[in-house]
Amino acid sequence: MIAPAGAALDDAALGQALTLLARLNTDPVAAGSAEELLAALRAEHPGLRLRLLRHREAYGDTVQFGLLVSGPRGGTVTLSWAPPSEVPWMLRGAQRSAESMLLRVNGEALDIQHAMAYLDVMWEQTALLDRLVDVCLVQQELAESPVTLTDGELQDAMDAFRRARGLLTPAATAAWMARRHLDHAALEEMVAREAAVAALRTRVTVDRVDSWCAAHRSTYDRLRIARVRFADRAAAERFVAAFAERRRTCDTTADAFGAALTAVAPSRPLGAELMERTVADLDLGLGSGLADAVAPGTLLPPRAVGTEWEVVQVLSRAAASDSDLLEQASRRLFDEWLADRRRTARIEWFWGEAEKTPR
């Protein structure tokens, strides 16, 4: 080893530094005492400035060491050493430039860093961020405990995938694929991935589905409702008062509802709709007993929805089908399973502000 001319870094010092690196990168005991060993080298060469570098690989939680050696006249030598089984320092974390690109349009490339800067609002959309984390957690689970699907199961998944998107003919399917720049292999991979996630969801929730359904059955009853929207709370409360007054004189609650709308016409409701919802969709904020008591004809108190206020009348109520309830149970329990894993996951974001990545 020959030090650069005028650098005041002799071969002996650099040789000792390289020997130290080799020891740190092969001996776990020495790695645990890295600072003490470096302090001894500093004491032997007081004219040198030595800075120990650590590169941690997240997958195996392994550490590789490097050294920056600076002499009294300036200039810095970078030293690294890797055993045969390890990736050399310069290549750890290396990637091709194309791997940082999100897309290219008419030759104009957009890399991930700049795309995320445009989408910085995502930091406020915690549900979206959770979903991105969930993708990684699901991939990890499927890698460690794979799901095996038969050809018949894959065909059923493909048929369901096409039905859900209205792709009922080969021509419709081909057009859908063309718009998304997918070939048949990519479509099969997409469907297989969805089928694997569905099988995983069943696997991690099957033991709790029955008890969940028993506890939440009435929460997913189907409600047919009439909803009236107002610009402010005062207008919504006037409608409720008018409804109570008209109910004493009208033959049916539907008549009272219409009469109340006529009575508050100067308040100009923003809109009125008929729709179907579940008890859970309405987010009543009621205990389970009160939620069970919501019956046809019930007029719910005014509540804020965004910048508007709404009043809802329940027109009819029907029990949830077994298939709908099982689907809800599976999804809710799978969400809980993912939430438990998010709480203990080691998450590293590679965009946005540094403090948003937990250390």
Side-chain angles (χ1 to χ4, degrees):
M1 183 182 299
I2 301 176
L9 296 175
D10 60 70
D11 288 352
L14 293 176
Q16 286 178 281
L18 197 55
T19 299
L20 174 61
L21 274 184
R23 183 179 175 189
L24 293 179
N25 286 319
T26 55
D27 183 353
V29 176
S33 305
E35 294 296 343
E36 291 84 349
L37 294 172
L38 188 61
L41 186 60
R42 287 194 183 103
E44 191 170 345
H45 301 279
L48 300 181
R49 289 185 294 121
L50 304 173
R51 180 182 175 187
L52 192 64
L53 305 175
R54 293 176 174 83
H55 185 278
R56 184 179 298 276
E57 284 285 359
Y59 176 74
D61 201 27
T62 60
V63 176
Q64 190 176 110
F65 295 92
L67 266 176
L68 298 180
V69 184
S70 302
R73 299 179 188 175
T76 300
V77 173
T78 304
L79 293 178
S80 64
W81 186 93
S85 60
E86 295 289 342
V87 177
W89 176 278
M90 293 295 292
L91 297 179
R92 290 170 75 91
Q95 61 178 3
R96 294 169 297 189
S97 60
E99 292 176 347
S100 66
M101 292 299 166
L102 182 63
L103 80 160
R104 185 180 287 113
V105 179
N106 295 332
E108 184 66 26
L110 180 65
D111 62 35
I112 293 174
Q113 178 181 354
H114 287 92
M116 292 304 102
Y118 289 119
L119 299 176
D120 192 56
V121 69
M122 286 174 65
W123 286 117
E124 307 303 323
Q125 304 297 322
T126 56
L128 179 55
L129 295 179
D130 285 347
R131 185 173 179 181
L132 294 176
V133 173
D134 290 346
V135 170
C136 294
L137 293 173
V138 167
Q139 288 179 172
Q140 178 188 11
E141 182 68 21
L142 290 174
E144 295 176 357
S145 301
V147 168
T148 301
L149 299 170
T150 66
D151 290 344
E153 289 171 330
L154 288 172
Q155 184 60 58
D156 289 343
M158 178 65 77
D159 294 342
F161 183 92
R162 291 177 58 190
R163 284 196 303 271
R165 292 158 179 80
L167 308 177
L168 305 182
T169 66
T173 304
W176 185 90
M177 293 167 59
R179 287 194 299 272
R180 290 158 178 80
H181 306 286
L182 298 174
D183 58 19
H184 191 72
L187 177 63
E188 288 185 340
E189 181 181 352
M190 180 188 299
V191 171
R193 183 168 57 247
E194 285 196 5
V197 172
L200 172 63
R201 189 177 71 186
T202 299
R203 186 172 74 193
V204 301
T205 63
V206 64
D207 293 338
R208 294 181 291 158
V209 164
D210 289 343
S211 59
W212 192 96
C213 289
H216 297 86
R217 179 170 293 276
S218 62
T219 308
Y220 290 91
D221 283 358
R222 304 294 304 179
L223 303 178
R224 187 167 178 267
I225 65 171
R227 182 180 72 152
V228 187
R229 296 179 289 111
F230 296 92
D232 54 59
R233 181 173 184 170
E237 290 178 340
R238 284 195 295 272
F239 173 78
V240 172
F243 176 84
E245 177 66 26
R246 300 312 188 272
R247 198 169 188 177
R248 287 193 288 269
T249 58
C250 292
D251 294 334
T252 66
T253 55
D255 292 340
F257 194 86
L261 275 177
T262 301
V264 298
S267 298
R268 294 182 181 177
L270 299 177
E273 300 93 13
L274 293 175
M275 58 185 62
E276 286 194 358
R277 291 289 187 269
T278 68
V279 175
D281 289 336
L282 290 181
D283 189 21
L284 300 174
L286 306 174
S288 59
L290 289 176
D292 290 346
V294 174
T298 302
L299 190 73
L300 301 175
R303 67 170 187 162
V305 179
T307 60
E308 301 176 355
W309 283 78
E310 72 173 19
V311 179
V312 168
Q313 184 189 24
V314 178
L315 303 178
S316 64
R317 179 170 182 163
S321 68
D322 289 342
S323 59
D324 286 346
L325 196 60
L326 287 172
E327 178 67 14
Q328 287 289 347
S330 179
R331 291 188 179 279
R332 296 302 176 105
L333 291 171
F334 192 53
D335 287 344
E336 292 176 8
W337 181 84
L338 287 168
D340 287 341
R341 276 148 184 78
R342 283 198 302 271
R343 281 190 285 270
T344 58
R346 185 174 67 250
I347 301 170
E348 297 175 275
W349 292 103
F350 294 98
W351 59 275
E353 299 176 16
E355 61 266 24
K356 291 171 180 171
T357 296
R359 294 189 181 277

